[in-house]
Amino acid sequence: MVGVGSVLLVAGALASVRVVPEQAAAASNPLQAAAAANVHLRAVAPAERRRIDYARLDSRLKRMAEEPTIVGMAVGVIENGRITFLGGYGETLEGSGEKVTAETVFRWASVSKGVASTMVAKLAEQGKVKLNAPVAAYAPSLKLPAGYERSATVTDLLSHRLGLYRNALDNKLEEGLPPSLLRGELASLNAICAPGTCWSYQNIAYDAASEIVARETGMPYEQAVQQQLFHPIGMNSASMTREGLVSARSWARPHSVGRRPLEVLEPYYRVPAAGGVNSNIKDLALWMIAQAGGMPNVLSPQLLQTIHAPLVKTPGERGRLRKFLERVNEAHYGLGWRYYDYAGHKIVGHRGGVNGYRSLILFDPALKSGVVALWNSNTSQPGGLEFEVMDMLYGLPFRDWMELDSKPARAAPVSEEPEPESATATIAAAPAGSGRGAVR
């Protein structure tokens, strides 16, 4: 006869047999374990609301949605490493009645550049890429004037310091030419400086990052990013194709400043490292949590320091932000990320734009707090909302950065060009291991 104690022992042994393989599976797949550990971060956490007046923010965003240049908009806020606010405003398509929600998918445009730099830095952390090595070692399709691909580093690539004029050959991309062919044609251009000695914003050249990732992982760029970044972070809506956008259950159609519907264009999906990501606002907020240091099981503090560190001064950026100069002091670019001194606080972010879409992300890594926004028209007016959020975060006096009361002249329509930039800037000292150790 078997006693109760024996039965319990047998049951315990069987339970341990079940548990041990599960633990072993988690240990053998840290990305899967990270995804499970980060699931709770998807929930909105009102208890973490500390510094921001959410009622006032929501009221102002509702006013913004009534502006004649706005069709639809989604906004997310994080405080203390948790999502504290997700809001949808307006419509996915002018006159449709279909409301924008936290699940509506938009295009990120140039906010995608931070994904590419993060992915390459992750490969560097794994010992597969050296950031201070010549870019030619990893992206053979990239050819620069005077053979500069042999001296330009991976860091130069990710910080827009390749010596090319601004947005080189983007017009050819929009005409339908293949990016790999265009990266070879860059060699025929005149250099404006030697690599590492001036700053000039790129899309086609920057997308050499997708080639680096594909070659070093042995899989397509989107698959590698999904596997190593989006899945463990929990970004279930994120994709990098036109089909990924238009097949979403709720997706925002692009519009002109005059609310005229536009066609979803393909060119910048073909340079995914430069401008290819789509997602809803919740997933962009999760991306911000990870970038702010809230998911060290996916992005280590050392990796974040590498990509966010200010490498190159961009005084032209202060010109673009001239209406915010009361707060914005120095502006720099790192690896796929902008770095600002905002009223004495160090903040990180980026903006993006393709025809019919705009995006922004801005956060304070020290506070693990910030704001993201996506909208589906060619207006730049909502671009002040990030600074209104930062002012609340820091307890600064209110300013009408969204210009809801001052009613400025409306922006004119623009062509499909992710985040237009000024052409050159000076070089700041780079941190150890970044590939450029001297002021140039």
Side-chain angles (χ1 to χ4, degrees), residues 271-338:
V271 285
V277 178
N278 316 302
S279 89
N280 60 33
I281 197 67
K282 179 186 288 187
D283 284 356
L284 184 52
L286 287 169
W287 175 247
M288 179 165 57
I289 290 174
Q291 288 292 329
M295 298 186 191
N297 52 6
V298 182
L299 303 180
S300 71
Q302 296 79 12
L303 183 152
L304 295 175
Q305 172 60 29
T306 296
I307 60 178
H308 296 162
L311 296 181
V312 51
K313 287 184 178 180
T314 53
E317 175 70 358
R318 294 189 75 244
R320 285 177 44 146
L321 299 178
R322 55 190 173 275
K323 72 179 182 180
F324 310 114
L325 292 185
E326 177 186 351
R327 306 271 200 257
V328 177
N329 297 312
E330 288 191 344
H332 295 76
Y333 206 91
L335 302 185
W337 289 97
R338 293 190 178 279

Side-chain angles (χ1 to χ4, degrees), residues 76-90:
V77 176
I78 67 168
E79 281 195 76
N80 305 308
R82 293 299 303 272
I83 298 174
T84 49
F85 178 87
L86 294 172
Y89 305 86

Side-chain angles (χ1 to χ4, degrees), residues 280-423:
N280 60 33
I281 197 67
K282 179 186 288 187
D283 284 356
L284 184 52
L286 287 169
W287 175 247
M288 179 165 57
I289 290 174
Q291 288 292 329
M295 298 186 191
N297 52 6
V298 182
L299 303 180
S300 71
Q302 296 79 12
L303 183 152
L304 295 175
Q305 172 60 29
T306 296
I307 60 178
H308 296 162
L311 296 181
V312 51
K313 287 184 178 180
T314 53
E317 175 70 358
R318 294 189 75 244
R320 285 177 44 146
L321 299 178
R322 55 190 173 275
K323 72 179 182 180
F324 310 114
L325 292 185
E326 177 186 351
R327 306 271 200 257
V328 177
N329 297 312
E330 288 191 344
H332 295 76
Y333 206 91
L335 302 185
W337 289 97
R338 293 190 178 279
Y339 175 98
Y340 303 98
D341 179 323
Y342 187 80
H345 302 274
K346 309 306 180 186
I347 58 177
V348 176
H350 214 286
R351 294 181 308 282
V354 293
N355 200 22
Y357 297 93
R358 294 291 182 271
S359 60
L360 65 84
I361 178 172
L362 192 69
F363 58 93
D364 183 326
L367 298 179
K368 291 185 172 59
S369 301
V371 58
V372 289
L374 299 164
W375 60 99
N376 60 333
S377 63
N378 279 335
T379 180
S380 61
Q381 188 185 9
L385 73 89
E386 73 269 42
F387 296 114
E388 291 198 18
V389 171
M390 301 313 285
D391 284 355
M392 285 191 273
L393 189 65
Y394 298 133
L396 297 172
F398 171 77
R399 297 289 184 270
D400 180 25
W401 296 134
M402 282 191 271
E403 298 181 327
L404 294 174
D405 304 317
S406 55
K407 302 297 180 186
R410 296 292 176 246
V414 298
S415 62
E416 178 168 317
E417 179 182 70
E419 200 181 47
E421 296 292 338
S422 57

